[in-house]
């Protein structure tokens, strides 16, 4: 991915220290106190900020993987020898999981490469990853997802999904898409704002060209720089759209970018212009006062 | 009075035909009636009538009329005498004085007579009534009612009032005495609750009586918001001693600062004579893992989470003193920051590396940082070290409790 895109996405995500370091549910110990000078305090805050940036690294976004249908050999002699499938895994320690050989001998006699789901399951058996279950937990079913959304627990859903599934599995993409849709439908961007999932949802919306509501939300919260970066990201991703060409022609920046976008692309032009005007008026008022 | 008594000793002779006059009321009336009985004209006795005369000896003055009810009861109960002094009496046998004239209406009796002015109204439709008799069944009903009422009173008196249980069934520790009594200038202490810590019987040798017994009570009061105090009250009986202690405690209040209203600011060790109290700060939800007296007092102060260990003597007065002095001499974060001229920063383990500024010194923090030694210069406790190293063998260490 482009480093510029990465930059923009990290900037948009914001860095609310209080939200990032929210108390995790664990065994409580009484707090420790330290006597620090101002410089030491700033150093400590800086360290905390670095930690936060590490925690806010965006999750990978990959296209969906294609199913494996490789048959290695067909042995009709072995047909009926056994009633169960045999799965052979290579458990050498220092091979990346993507390159492991996992093959299946069916009762019919065919020797084929294992499917992605089978691969995931077996790798979890031999090299268990913390937090990952062998079978997908029932949270990821449709009805249960709806329950989680009604309780505003989108962040939890996305975290669990990250742990459970591979980034290019269909389940991962499906859960993410449903979550992003729900967040966008309800306009609850704030839930994801200081988490590692904000980049993901922005990328999804930008590629789907449905940035309107997010933009309006940002303007309502007076995040002008974020709005500009969003529009510039949009232009980078879709360089052949009218907005991008117009902006390149005018060398627009700042509120002009937003005006260009409002004119050409968005369905809610009026809304965006209203918000822009309100924003322009409020600094004028504050400077006048 | 003496004349009437003497007259009552007169023999009353009843004649065959004359119905005996039933007496009602006290000695005075009887004397009046007896004088009446002596005045009727003496008819000469015929031989037949003389044979029918029956002599019934009735004495109107006896032992039971010579004394008042109070004097009689004093004789029965036996309060005086050497047996009851100096605590020599046996506890179980104790007769209660009962007022026998309770519920008695002058005029009511077994005969069922209606005396106007006493039982029945004097005037009825303008006519002055005379003495009459009540009906049989009605009289029986009334008597039954009287008996029932008396039994009801007896039952009420015998009923045991259920007493709130303190730390144990028969101990007075931990029992609440309500709020202290209002002061002379009208101050009320409604939001203060008082709890007994200790009730003990103490003796003092005097020259005249020898061992003189008195009850000593240690009571703590508090309003749950940091204001609390304790006092000792002594009196010959328990209720007075409790009252004295309760009302005295309100005049000796301490204000104790709490961190976030639930725990202390830092670990405290306080010593009074031979009693050491080690208190440790705990996080929310831990509860009060302390001696039962310490728990009672902490609830009155408003502390909710703390660990405390009493080492050495467990004299409750010294424990209370150690607790209050230790808590009152706490160093709040602001005081600490002013003393050291540095910012006090809190690191919570559940929040990761995020620093939270708790107190800033007034003049601004100084430039030189706190000198950091390679080995931290804290004083360790041998008990803590033993527990950490696994040298301590205790069945009570990790026991699961449901009530604190």
């Amino acid at each position: 991915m482009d480093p510029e895109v990465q930059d923009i996405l990290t900037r948009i995500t914001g860095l609310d220290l209080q939200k990032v370091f929210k108390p995790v549910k664990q065994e409580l110990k009484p707090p420790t106190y330290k006597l620090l000078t101002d410089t030491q305090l700033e150093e400590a805050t800086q360290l905390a900020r670095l930690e936060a940036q590490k925690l806010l690294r965006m999750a990978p976004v990959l296209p969906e993987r294609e199913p494996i249908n490789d048959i290695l050999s067909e042995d009709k002699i072995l047909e009926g020898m056994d009633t169960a499938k045999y799965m052979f895994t290579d458990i050498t320690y220092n091979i990346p999981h993507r390159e492991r050989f996992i093959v299946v001998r069916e009762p019919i006699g065919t020797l084929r490469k294992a499917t992605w789901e089978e691969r995931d399951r077996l790798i979890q058996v031999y090299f268990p990853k913390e937090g990952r279950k062998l079978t997908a937990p029932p949270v990821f079913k449709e009805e249960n997802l709806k329950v989680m959304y009604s309780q505003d627990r989108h962040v939890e859903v996305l975290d669990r999904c990250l742990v459970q599934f591979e980034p290019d599995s269909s389940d991962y993409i499906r859960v993410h898409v449903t979550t992003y849709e729900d967040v966008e439908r309800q306009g609850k961007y704030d839930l994801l704002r200081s988490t590692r999932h904000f980049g993901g949802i922005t990328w999804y919306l930008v590629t789907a060209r449905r940035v309107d509501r997010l933009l309006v939300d940002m303007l309502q919260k007076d995040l002008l720089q974020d709005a500009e970066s969003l529009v510039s990201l949009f232009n980078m991703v879709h360089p052949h759209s009218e907005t991008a060409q117009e902006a390149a022609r005018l060398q627009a920046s700042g509120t002009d970018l937003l005006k260009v976008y409002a004119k050409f692309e968005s369905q809610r032009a009026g809304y965006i212009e209203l918000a822009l005007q309100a924003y322009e008026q409020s600094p004028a008022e504050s400077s006048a006062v | 009075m003496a004349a009437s008594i003497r007259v009552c000793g007169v023999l009353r002779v009843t004649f065959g035909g004359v119905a005996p006059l039933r007496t009602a009321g006290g000695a005075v009336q009887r004397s009046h009636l007896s004088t009446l009985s002596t005045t009727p004209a003496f008819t000469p006795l015929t031989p037949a009538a003389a044979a029918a005369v029956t002599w019934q000896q009735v004495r109107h003055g006896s032992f039971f009329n010579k004394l008042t009810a109070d004097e009689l009861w004093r004789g029965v109960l036996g309060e005086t005498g050497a047996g009851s002094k100096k605590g020599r009496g046996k506890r179980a046998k104790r007769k209660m004085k009962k007022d026998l004239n309770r519920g008695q209406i002058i005029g009511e009796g077994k005969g069922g007579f209606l005396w106007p002015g006493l039982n029945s109204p004097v005037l009825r439709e303008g006519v002055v009534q005379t003495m009459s008799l009540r009906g049989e069944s009605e009289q029986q009903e009334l008597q039954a009612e009287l008996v029932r009422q008396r039994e009801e009173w007896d039952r009420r008196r015998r009923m045991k009032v259920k007493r709130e249980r303190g730390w144990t069934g028969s101990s007075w520790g931990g029992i609440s005495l309500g709020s202290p009594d209002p002061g002379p200038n009208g101050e009320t202490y409604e939001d203060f609750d008082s709890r007994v810590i200790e009730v003990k019987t103490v003796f003092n040798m005097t020259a005249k009586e020898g061992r003189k017994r008195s009850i000593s009570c240690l009571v703590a009061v508090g309003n749950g918001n940091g204001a609390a105090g304790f006092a000792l009250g002594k009196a010959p009986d328990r209720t007075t001693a409790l009252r004295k202690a309760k009302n005295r405690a309100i005049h000796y209040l301490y204000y104790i600062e709490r961190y976030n209203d639930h725990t202390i600011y830092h670990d405290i060790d306080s010593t009074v004579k031979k009693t050491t109290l080690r208190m440790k700060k705990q996080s929310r939800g831990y509860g009060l893992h302390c001696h039962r007296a310490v728990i009672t007092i902490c609830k009155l102060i408003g502390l909710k989470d703390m660990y405390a260990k009493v080492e050495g003597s467990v004299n409750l007065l010294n424990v209370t003193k150690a607790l209050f002095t230790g808590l009152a001499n706490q160093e709040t974060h602001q005081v600490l920051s002013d003393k050291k001229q540095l910012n006090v920063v809190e690191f919570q383990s559940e929040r990761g590396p995020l620093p939270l500024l708790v107190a800033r010194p007034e003049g601004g923090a100084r430039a030189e940082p706190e000198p950091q030694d390679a080995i931290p210069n804290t004083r360790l406790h041998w008990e803590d070290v033993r527990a950490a190293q696994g040298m301590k063998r205790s069945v009570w260490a990790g026991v699961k409790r449901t009530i604190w």
Side-chain angles (χ1 to χ4, degrees):
Chain A
M1 304 214 96
D2 242 348
E4 284 177 27
V5 173
Q6 293 282 359
D7 248 346
I8 293 179
L9 287 172
T10 36
R11 243 182 310 130
I12 297 183
T13 318
L15 195 73
D16 184 14
L17 277 176
Q18 296 290 332
K19 188 175 169 187
V20 172
F21 288 118
K22 222 169 28 182
V24 170
K25 251 196 178 136
Q26 63 181 82
E27 195 184 316
L28 281 176
K29 269 189 313 202
T32 46
Y33 293 92
K34 284 201 188 137
L35 292 159
L36 304 173
T37 56
D38 289 327
T39 35
Q40 279 173 326
L41 180 62
E42 276 159 27
E43 280 166 24
T45 343
Q46 194 55 32
L47 273 169
R49 228 174 258 132
L50 284 171
E51 263 296 321
Q53 271 166 7
K54 258 192 269 179
L55 285 173
L56 288 180
R57 262 207 300 250
M58 214 179 98
V61 178
L62 302 167
E64 197 170 328
R65 59 195 175 188
E66 278 152 26
I68 311 171
N69 285 325
D70 241 348
I71 300 186
L72 294 171
S73 85
E74 295 247 6
D75 299 311
K76 290 289 177 188
I77 327 167
L78 298 167
E79 191 172 335
M81 197 177 80
D82 207 359
T83 47
K85 284 194 280 193
Y86 282 93
M87 310 192 54
F88 300 93
T89 332
D90 180 12
I91 48 171
T92 343
Y93 193 60
N94 39 10
I95 316 180
H97 290 313
R98 298 268 161 165
E99 294 162 24
R100 266 179 210 285
F101 288 116
I102 305 185
V103 293
V104 179
R105 170 77 75 184
E106 306 235 351
I108 316 170
T110 41
L111 184 69
R112 62 172 173 83
K113 278 199 187 157
T115 58
W116 283 113
E117 287 84 35
E118 285 165 354
R119 282 184 70 91
D120 283 338
R121 222 172 55 223
L122 282 180
I123 289 171
Q124 175 63 12
V125 166
Y126 293 113
F127 302 97
K129 196 165 147 189
E130 195 191 317
R132 204 177 266 216
K133 315 265 177 172
L134 278 180
T135 39
V139 185
F140 297 116
K141 295 216 181 83
E142 286 297 330
E143 323 70 57
N144 300 330
L145 279 177
K146 285 204 190 79
V147 171
M148 295 291 266
Y149 297 152
S150 64
Q151 288 173 356
D152 280 352
R153 286 155 80 175
H154 303 79
V155 183
E156 278 182 46
V157 167
L158 288 174
D159 283 332
R160 281 196 82 170
C161 176
L162 251 168
V163 169
Q164 180 69 32
F165 301 118
E166 294 281 313
D168 48 1
S169 67
S170 54
D171 281 319
Y172 178 97
I173 294 177
R174 173 183 62 88
V175 171
H176 275 258
V177 165
T178 27
T179 319
Y180 293 154
E181 290 292 325
D182 191 79
V183 169
E184 214 231 301
R185 205 170 352 110
Q186 298 189 12
K188 292 187 181 163
Y189 304 104
D190 270 340
L191 288 170
L192 299 180
R193 193 149 249 145
S194 243
T195 60
R196 57 200 299 208
H197 307 288
F198 198 72
I201 187 172
T202 337
W203 184 255
Y204 175 77
L205 291 173
V206 163
T207 39
R209 284 175 168 225
R210 289 190 287 164
V211 216
D212 298 334
R213 293 186 63 157
L214 182 55
L215 202 60
V216 163
D217 185 68
M218 277 180 179
L219 287 170
Q220 275 170 353
K221 296 217 170 62
D222 290 338
L223 300 163
L224 199 60
Q225 280 94 27
D226 287 352
E228 290 162 30
S229 353
L230 185 62
V231 179
S232 47
L233 178 68
F234 181 84
N235 295 341
M236 267 191 264
V237 172
H238 303 280
H240 307 294
S241 69
E242 298 160 354
T243 333
Q245 286 161 356
E246 191 71 28
R249 207 156 45 80
L250 291 173
Q251 291 290 314
S253 69
T255 41
D256 303 324
L257 250 183
L258 295 162
K259 284 187 190 133
V260 164
Y261 176 80
K263 216 167 37 162
F264 280 109
E265 189 67 35
S266 71
Q267 283 104 26
R268 303 212 210 163
Y271 222 80
I272 297 182
E273 276 166 18
L274 253 174
L276 268 172
Q277 275 168 17
Y279 191 80
E280 273 156 19
Q281 271 166 19
S282 52
E285 277 169 16
S286 60
S287 60
V289 166
Chain B
M1 195 56 196
S4 58
I5 290 170
R6 229 173 281 131
V7 165
C8 285
V10 167
L11 285 170
R12 205 162 60 117
V13 176
T14 59
F15 291 94
V18 180
L21 268 176
R22 292 244 210 95
T23 55
V28 181
Q29 242 180 341
R30 207 176 289 129
S31 68
H32 179 64
L33 284 165
S34 57
T35 44
L36 274 174
S37 65
T38 46
T39 45
F42 254 97
T43 50
L45 288 168
T46 55
V53 160
T54 44
W55 290 80
Q56 266 183 12
Q57 186 176 20
V58 177
R59 286 194 183 275
H60 298 288
S62 69
F63 167 73
F64 295 103
N65 320 355
K66 288 197 178 89
L67 300 172
T68 55
D70 280 332
E71 289 163 2
L72 284 172
W73 276 112
R74 228 167 342 118
V76 168
L77 295 175
E79 284 152 4
T80 49
S84 54
K85 269 199 262 190
K86 289 198 191 174
R88 288 192 195 115
K90 302 185 227 319
R91 220 170 309 157
K93 271 206 283 190
R94 199 210 154 134
K95 295 189 200 123
M96 297 292 298
K97 176 175 164 184
K98 184 174 160 186
D99 180 17
L100 296 168
N101 289 340
R102 187 180 175 190
Q104 190 185 47
I105 305 174
I106 298 207
E108 281 296 334
K110 222 163 59 166
F113 287 96
L114 285 171
W115 305 99
L118 294 174
N119 280 17
S120 55
V122 178
L123 289 172
R124 188 185 295 202
E125 295 148 9
V127 181
V128 178
Q129 306 286 318
T130 48
M131 181 200 92
S132 55
L133 253 177
R134 204 184 271 131
E136 268 294 317
S137 53
E138 224 183 296
Q139 180 58 23
Q140 271 174 11
E141 263 171 41
L142 274 163
Q143 292 294 344
E145 175 68 30
L146 256 174
V147 168
R148 196 198 58 78
Q149 183 66 273
R150 268 190 233 127
E151 267 159 33
E152 169 78 26
W153 285 329
D154 275 338
R155 201 169 49 80
R156 278 273 165 77
R157 197 222 314 245
R158 269 193 307 251
M159 202 159 63
K160 269 194 178 172
V161 180
K162 216 164 197 140
R163 202 185 73 161
E164 180 198 316
R165 201 187 336 141
W167 297 330
T168 11
S170 68
S171 88
W172 274 85
I175 292 187
S176 172
L177 301 170
S179 41
D181 303 329
N185 296 334
E187 309 96 46
T188 47
Y189 307 106
E190 292 306 324
D191 47 338
F192 278 87
D193 181 34
S194 58
R195 294 228 167 215
V196 178
I197 311 279
E198 191 185 34
V199 168
K200 54 184 182 183
T201 316
V202 293
F203 291 88
N204 179 35
M205 290 299 265
T206 47
K208 291 195 178 171
E209 309 146 17
R211 283 176 95 211
K212 184 168 173 199
R213 193 179 94 126
S214 94
I215 316 277
S216 144
C217 295
L218 179 62
V219 168
V221 297
N223 70 346
N225 260 327
F230 68 100
L232 191 75
K234 282 213 244 190
D237 61 294
R238 190 176 51 214
T239 41
T240 322
L242 288 169
R243 183 181 50 82
K244 277 189 187 176
K246 183 175 74 169
N247 296 333
R248 192 154 178 265
I250 207 79
H251 294 292
Y252 292 86
L253 290 177
Y254 293 76
Y255 181 71
I256 297 159
E257 268 123 10
R258 301 166 286 163
Y259 169 75
N260 278 359
D261 290 347
H262 72 100
T263 190
I264 47 182
Y265 276 97
H266 53 86
D267 296 354
I268 305 169
D269 304 325
S270 69
T271 314
V272 164
K273 297 188 190 178
K274 281 298 202 183
T275 309
T276 319
L277 189 58
R278 252 191 319 129
M279 292 178 267
K280 285 197 187 154
K281 176 193 176 107
Q282 296 294 347
S283 40
R284 216 178 274 274
Y286 184 82
L288 288 165
H289 188 155
C290 326
H291 188 278
R292 58 192 185 182
V294 175
I295 293 184
T296 323
I297 300 177
C298 283
K299 280 194 186 155
L300 289 172
I301 296 171
L303 287 169
K304 296 174 196 92
D305 310 289
M306 198 174 74
Y307 172 79
K309 174 95 183 84
V310 178
E311 277 154 6
S313 149
V314 194
N315 181 313
L316 284 175
L317 181 59
N318 290 341
V319 166
T320 333
K321 280 189 191 166
L323 181 68
F324 274 100
T325 50
L327 289 175
N329 297 338
Q330 268 182 95
E331 215 179 22
T332 57
H333 294 318
Q334 191 59 47
V335 165
L336 179 64
S337 78
D338 289 335
K339 190 176 84 167
K340 298 260 180 178
Q341 289 292 314
L342 284 171
N343 301 319
V344 176
V345 177
E346 177 181 322
F347 289 92
Q348 290 175 353
S349 56
E350 61 266 15
R351 273 194 177 228
L354 181 69
L356 296 160
L357 186 64
V358 172
R360 199 170 271 258
E362 263 150 46
R366 64 167 196 232
E368 309 90 47
E370 182 87 6
Q372 203 83 332
D373 299 327
I375 315 162
N377 185 19
T378 44
R379 200 187 181 101
L380 297 169
H381 291 106
W382 179 232
E383 287 300 319
D384 290 341
V385 169
R386 274 184 65 208
Q389 296 290 320
M391 297 190 325
K392 192 167 175 178
R393 254 186 335 122
S394 158
V395 269
W396 294 108
V399 73
K400 264 212 247 180
R401 286 176 202 264
T402 47
I403 320 165
W404 269 114

